[in-house]
Amino acid sequence: MYKKLFYILCFFSTYIGIAQDCPGLTNPLQGATNVPVETPISWENVVGVTGYIISIGTTPGGTEIINEQAIGTAITFSPPLGLPEATTIYVTITLFFFDQDNIVCPSQFFTTEDVTTVPDCTSLENPQDGDTNINVGVSLVWEYAAKALGYRITLGTLPGVGDILSNFDVGNTLSFNPAADFPAGTTIFVKVVPYNENGMAINCTEESFTTGTLGEPPGCTYLITPENGAINVSLSPFIEWAPAQNALGYIVNIGKTPYTNEVLDGAIFYTTSTYVLNFESNNTYFVRIIPFNTAGQAKFCGQESFSTILGCGPFYDPDTGELISYYPESDFPDTVGICDNNLPTTIQSPDVADGYRWYQLLDTGAEELISEERFAAISETGNYRYEVFNIIPDGDQPIECLFTKEFTVTVSSIASIEDIFIAKLEELYNVTVEISGLGDYEYSFDGLEFTENNFKVYPLVGNHTITVRDRNGCGEVTQTFVIKSPPTGFPPYFSPNGDGINDYWQYVPPKVNALPIKLIYVYNRYGKLLATVGRLTRGWDGTYNSNPMPADGYWYKAIATDGKVYTGNFSLVR
């Protein structure tokens, strides 16, 4: 029979909150050196995070390179202007959540290379080489050139002629807005040359675009179908927006957060509608539509949103800022006990939900359904699987939002109380219960609340009761015990330091009412047997397996020749 021995007399429990794990850098690694200045920064994915915010600086927590930039759920970020050379760079990742406070992670660092070559060339991003009908007030945008510390730009109406602007240093930026509009209906020639302290980029290509006729950009538009704020939108909806006056086309962005465009990212439409396939259920989608014409894009167009049909979630509620889930909440245990005196034992689900299923996992790898009620009758130990689900209406086909848990069934029994130890510690009495059995037990002293502690501290002598109950409902047992004043003759302390005084601990019979002790067992505070002391020996020397035991409290169990048992405690002093 399996026996549990408990000798813990007192302890303190400290509960420590576990914080969300912060990601480590994966490229460059923490502490890396000679890192190329154009290196993209990557980090570990954090499960459950809504998004990331990145800051980059030259001191821990610094933001002078990148200042708290939200990047959605991406785990890679490329600094738009690269990184300064021969510099220790500090990266600070902030975990962004809709439903709780952000978590600012400790800064991580690496050191960049010393650049000794000229930069690469770049090319236009907006407008692109060969584009036509470009707004005369367009701002020029180009790609980052690796290792560049600045750019010089030449603009002209003929190839190789800077009659608009010649070799102008725009500094370390990726855009330039000319002071005056370009001439309408004209081909504009552009040459952007990166540079650094080692010199100018070599053999960079001249590009060109053609401006459109003069006019005004269009105004903004708005969603017609689905309307802004709509709910229960189908997963493959027809999206339609109002025509904008004088619009040539529309730039459409759709994403699952206000910061990302993972569904449509700058898609261009020349109509006012489109189908979008395979939205996810129970998600809020954010839409921004920007009309444009040859004079440019509409300014300051707002963002709208709608939510798809119900699913299980979790999804973001923009009105409350909370995450909503239709999955059942469950704390079903890993192990369940059945009673050896009451088979089959009925196990009832602790969860409130729309439906339940119980399966027995067979040795063949198959499953056998044993119940579709909130309870199941189980007669055998082994492995089982529990399902609990809510049903969510979704058109003609309801959705099951399911939680499942594999668990093990073990046998439980009523406990047997083997012994009750009573030890006096100064003015208090520590009572510890030794039990045996196959169950998962909890304890109640004198009818008080049941706890997992098999000990209690009493201030006075007297009559008391202890009840041991099986948590799986297999029954309980109660026993009465008496706390008596301890007998004298057991030294309260000893000091095994080799000075010849109190080097051994042993029962010292008093002149009056001496006890006929024949054997003494010595334990540490956790119930481990350290020594057996005979009456005719010198006593315990304070060692276990020849190793000195630490200064602490120890306990004894003394057996008299008449069979009576005496327990108590003493101190080892060093």
Side-chain angles (χ1 to χ4, degrees):
M1 177 178 292
Y2 175 78
K3 180 178 288 186
K4 296 181 178 178
L5 296 177
F6 301 93
Y7 293 93
I8 303 175
L9 297 178
C10 58
F11 64 89
F12 297 95
S13 295
T14 301
Y15 295 93
I16 303 175
I18 300 176
Q20 174 77 48
D21 290 337
C22 282
L25 289 179
T26 58
N27 183 57
L29 296 175
Q30 161 81 354
T33 58
N34 204 32
V35 174
V37 293
E38 67 271 20
T39 297
I41 299 170
S42 302
W43 54 90
E44 299 166 331
N45 185 45
V46 178
V47 177
V49 72
T50 307
Y52 303 94
I53 299 171
I54 188 170
S55 294
I56 304 175
T58 56
T59 59
T63 60
E64 65 269 30
I65 299 175
I66 298 294
N67 185 10
E68 295 187 347
Q69 183 167 332
I71 58 172
T73 57
I75 57 173
T76 297
F77 175 75
S78 295
L81 297 174
L83 298 168
E85 64 174 322
T87 302
T88 298
I89 303 298
Y90 291 85
V91 179
T92 305
I93 303 296
T94 298
L95 307 183
F96 170 74
F97 298 93
F98 283 125
D99 59 339
Q100 67 183 63
D101 292 338
N102 292 347
I103 297 174
V104 181
C105 295
S107 297
Q108 301 172 72
F109 69 91
F110 56 86
T111 303
T112 54
E113 64 180 341
D114 180 15
V115 175
T116 58
T117 60
V118 299
D120 299 334
C121 288
T122 184
S123 59
L124 287 175
E125 280 190 344
N126 182 57
Q128 294 184 359
D129 187 28
D131 280 353
T132 59
N133 278 332
I134 300 302
N135 179 16
V136 295
V138 67
S139 292
L140 304 182
V141 179
W142 52 90
E143 298 177 349
Y144 165 67
K147 300 177 175 57
L149 293 180
Y151 301 84
R152 288 185 174 274
I153 187 169
T154 297
L155 303 172
T157 57
L158 293 171
V161 177
D163 55 337
I164 298 176
L165 195 66
S166 179
N167 199 31
F168 182 72
D169 188 349
V170 298
N172 195 14
T173 181
L174 300 179
S175 64
F176 177 67
N177 187 15
D181 289 348
F182 292 110
T186 303
T187 298
I188 306 299
F189 294 86
V190 183
K191 188 172 186 179
V192 181
V193 181
Y195 66 84
N196 61 21
E197 75 275 17
N198 301 298
M200 307 282 290
I202 300 172
N203 297 327
C204 293
T205 303
E206 187 175 57
E207 301 173 275
S208 66
F209 62 88
T210 302
T211 57
T213 58
L214 292 176
E216 292 292 330
C220 292
T221 183
Y222 59 89
L223 283 173
I224 298 176
T225 304
E227 294 182 352
N228 183 33
I231 61 174
N232 293 331
V233 176
S234 71
L235 301 185
S236 296
F238 177 71
I239 296 180
E240 183 179 11
W241 54 92
Q245 188 173 6
N246 299 323
L248 176 65
Y250 302 86
I251 301 171
V252 180
N253 298 292
I254 303 178
K256 292 194 290 185
T257 76
Y259 316 107
T260 58
N261 299 317
E262 61 267 48
V263 179
L264 289 177
D265 187 8
I268 295 177
F269 296 89
Y270 293 96
T271 62
T272 58
S273 62
T274 183
Y275 279 99
V276 177
L277 301 178
N278 299 328
F279 277 131
E280 296 178 9
S281 62
N282 252 0
N283 267 280
T284 297
Y285 286 88
F286 297 84
V287 182
R288 192 187 306 275
I289 302 174
I290 305 172
F292 67 89
N293 60 20
T294 56
Q297 299 178 5
K299 304 295 184 182
F300 311 114
C301 294
Q303 193 172 63
E304 300 175 278
S305 65
F306 58 83
S307 298
T308 52
I309 57 176
L310 291 176
C312 297
F315 68 96
Y316 172 61
D317 186 336
D319 295 327
T320 64
E322 297 179 351
L323 289 175
I324 297 176
S325 173
Y326 292 102
Y327 289 102
E329 294 185 2
S330 179
D331 293 320
F332 199 83
D334 295 324
T335 303
V336 172
I338 57 176
C339 305
D340 60 357
N341 61 338
N342 182 27
L343 296 176
T345 297
T346 298
I347 306 300
Q348 180 165 313
S349 167
D351 307 318
V352 178
D354 293 333
Y356 308 86
R357 286 186 287 263
W358 305 79
Y359 298 89
Q360 184 176 11
L361 306 184
L362 306 178
D363 293 339
T364 60
E367 297 182 333
E368 180 181 347
L369 178 65
I370 59 176
S371 175
E372 293 185 272
E373 305 293 336
R374 189 171 181 177
F375 54 84
I378 298 179
S379 301
E380 303 177 13
T381 60
N383 296 319
Y384 292 77
R385 187 167 66 85
Y386 161 74
E387 288 184 350
V388 57
F389 56 89
N390 288 324
I391 297 176
I392 303 300
D394 188 2
D396 297 330
Q397 187 66 40
I399 298 174
E400 265 191 16
C401 300
L402 179 71
F403 170 86
T404 186
K405 176 70 173 289
E406 290 190 10
F407 65 97
T408 302
V409 170
T410 60
V411 172
S412 288
S413 64
I414 298 177
S416 295
I417 297 178
E418 301 292 344
D419 209 341
I420 298 176
F421 292 92
I422 302 173
K424 189 173 188 302
L425 181 61
E426 295 180 350
E427 300 302 321
L428 301 175
Y429 296 87
N430 296 297
V431 177
T432 305
V433 183
E434 176 190 343
I435 58 98
S436 62
L438 295 177
D440 182 12
Y441 301 114
E442 54 188 1
Y443 306 83
S444 171
F445 288 84
D446 297 333
L448 298 177
E449 180 181 358
F450 279 91
T451 72
E452 63 181 9
N453 298 330
N454 71 318
F455 63 87
K456 183 176 175 58
V457 178
Y458 288 91
L460 301 172
V461 299
N463 296 327
H464 302 277
T465 60
I466 171 66
T467 300
V468 184
R469 180 174 69 182
D470 176 53
R471 283 194 174 101
N472 296 308
C474 295
E476 61 184 44
V477 60
T478 299
Q479 185 169 317
T480 300
F481 61 93
V482 180
I483 298 178
K484 301 178 182 179
S485 298
T488 60
F490 295 97
Y493 71 93
F494 79 121
S495 55
N497 54 14
D499 62 358
I501 303 173
N502 288 333
D503 283 336
Y504 296 89
W505 187 88
Q506 174 64 286
Y507 176 70
V508 180
K511 294 182 179 180
V512 179
N513 297 326
L515 300 175
I517 300 299
K518 68 175 182 179
L519 196 62
I520 303 174
Y521 300 99
V522 178
Y523 304 88
N524 66 8
R525 66 171 58 246
Y526 304 108
K528 180 178 182 62
L529 179 63
L530 302 178
T532 301
V533 179
R535 183 68 194 92
L536 300 179
T537 67
R538 287 187 296 178
W540 185 43
D541 63 358
T543 66
Y544 176 68
N545 288 338
S546 300
N547 295 312
M549 299 303 293
D552 202 349
Y554 295 85
W555 284 260
Y556 65 85
K557 177 179 178 182
I559 311 298
T561 55
D562 58 4
K564 291 184 178 180
V565 177
Y566 303 91
T567 61
N569 68 289
F570 61 94
S571 297
L572 187 159
V573 179
R574 291 194 182 277

